[in-house]
Amino acid sequence: MILRIRRGLAKVFAFLHFSLRAALFQLQGFFRETLTIQTKQGRLTVSTRDHGIAKPLFCTRQFEYDASLHAIRFLKAKGFIPEHPVHMLDVGANIGVIGIGLALSKEVDSVIAIEPDPTNFALLTRNVEQNGLSDRITCLQMAAGDQEATLTMELSPLNLGDHRVRSNPASDVIEAHNESSRQTIQVPSMPLDRIMQLPNIRDSAAARPSMLWIDVQGYEGFIFAGAGATLRSGIPAVAEVWPYGIVRAGMTLDQFTNIVSGIWSDYWIERRGRFVRYPISVFDRYLDELGNGNYFENVIFTKSAPR
């Protein structure tokens, strides 16, 4: 009984603490455009307009940090990536929260961080520099895709992690977030295979990545399609899977399933603190389970059998 009361009080105090920090974050937005805060993932400068990543960082001092450590350590324990060195491709790097956190934890040795949005990219480079990681993290301001092109990117006004490449979804795809009203910018795009051949990349150890970390709000399938040589060896990928985002990006779920099935043999979902393996042949069922709403999950794709 006493233990139950203590747990209840702890939850109440945690809720009150988060609510107070959230209100303080909101207040800061009236006076400044950015904040610099010390987090579990390093010293990070964030936008006060960003309620998607910056607000959780301000309130809880981390954003998916425990989840990222869990994923990396799982891949190492199963032999999918080496203990060291680990060279990570971070596509959709945002302000660097995942790449910087893993580099500072020493779980990852080097990172190629790809981010197209100018505001996020400016914060990314600042955060890399102020954490002393300029020699370990290479930042590229561009998008990755399936071809060299100039893409239209729609910008979320309140969630700087929800900027998305604007495509032409099927006519029956419902717009759930008023995306058509968003401000847009033009960004250059290259296939990931071409990016790996850029002069400042191709002669470095990072040109032979150990793994891919990718979160691009549904555009992942196009990036996989443009990364045949990079992914041919079956390097594992930690990817956000969001069916609504996939179809909004202009790709059917069947097309997405066919692409990942042509690269990897298995996928892993975290269930009650451990990763559970499923054959890629049933991935279409998983997409059906997620549904076409706001629900998404991080998925680990692998090619070879675990040891």
Side-chain angles (χ1 to χ4, degrees), residues 68-90:
S68 66
L69 287 177
H70 190 199
I72 292 290
R73 290 169 180 169
F74 162 78
L75 289 171
K76 289 183 176 183
K78 289 294 186 180
F80 290 118
I81 61 175
E83 283 291 331
H84 291 287
V86 175
H87 306 298
M88 187 174 84
L89 277 173
D90 186 4

Side-chain angles (χ1 to χ4, degrees), residues 41-118:
Q41 287 149 288
R43 184 172 176 81
L44 300 173
T45 300
V46 302
S47 168
T48 55
R49 292 191 296 112
D50 180 19
H51 288 231
I53 294 176
K55 184 177 178 180
L57 277 171
F58 184 82
C59 294
T60 66
R61 302 302 183 184
Q62 69 160 319
F63 180 82
E64 297 187 356
Y65 183 56
D66 293 338
S68 66
L69 287 177
H70 190 199
I72 292 290
R73 290 169 180 169
F74 162 78
L75 289 171
K76 289 183 176 183
K78 289 294 186 180
F80 290 118
I81 61 175
E83 283 291 331
H84 291 287
V86 175
H87 306 298
M88 187 174 84
L89 277 173
D90 186 4
V91 182
N94 196 262
I95 63 171
V97 62
I98 297 297
I100 290 171
L102 291 176
L104 289 176
S105 73
K106 298 185 179 178
E107 294 288 350
V108 165
D109 297 270
S110 72
V111 180
I112 296 175
I114 300 173
E115 171 57 45
D117 174 62

Side-chain angles (χ1 to χ4, degrees), residues 162-187:
D162 191 34
H163 299 337
R164 295 185 232 156
V165 173
R166 174 173 288 179
S167 284
N168 296 309
S171 59
D172 61 344
V173 176
I174 298 173
E175 181 177 294
H177 303 284
N178 200 27
E179 289 95 339
S180 60
S181 68
R182 291 180 174 183
Q183 175 190 352
T184 61
I185 59 173
Q186 302 297 302
V187 297

